[in-house]
Amino acid sequence: MAALRFFTVYGPGQRPDLAIHKFVARIEAGKPVPVFGDGETGRDYTYVDDIVAGILGALDYDFSLTAGAPF
């Protein structure tokens, strides 16, 4: 069995209320992107095509190669 969790996925058809959509709209409009806190925190974003590739890879994974160990 494989468990997959997706965080901060972006791509076509994305809801306009999500952060990445707002960031891009502000950048394209020449407006600053708001920064909260001290600006030291980072965040990663994953493009939807990469999520699909990961799902397909998980579906094709051969668990017999792990000899019973999960990792």
Side-chain angles (χ1 to χ4, degrees), residues 4 6 9 46-61:
L4 307 173
F6 311 117
V9 180
T46 308
Y47 191 67
V48 66
D49 288 353
D50 295 326
I51 294 294
V52 172
I55 293 169
L56 294 175
L59 289 171
D60 290 338
Y61 185 75

Side-chain angles (χ1 to χ4, degrees), residues 10-55:
Y10 72 97
Q14 179 177 327
R15 293 185 353 227
D17 61 321
L18 297 177
I20 191 71
H21 183 85
K22 292 179 180 180
F23 294 163
V24 170
R26 291 185 69 84
I27 291 167
E28 287 178 339
K31 297 179 180 178
V33 175
V35 176
F36 300 96
D38 62 8
E40 292 293 317
T41 302
R43 185 149 199 174
D44 292 322
Y45 294 89
T46 308
Y47 191 67
V48 66
D49 288 353
D50 295 326
I51 294 294
V52 172
I55 293 169

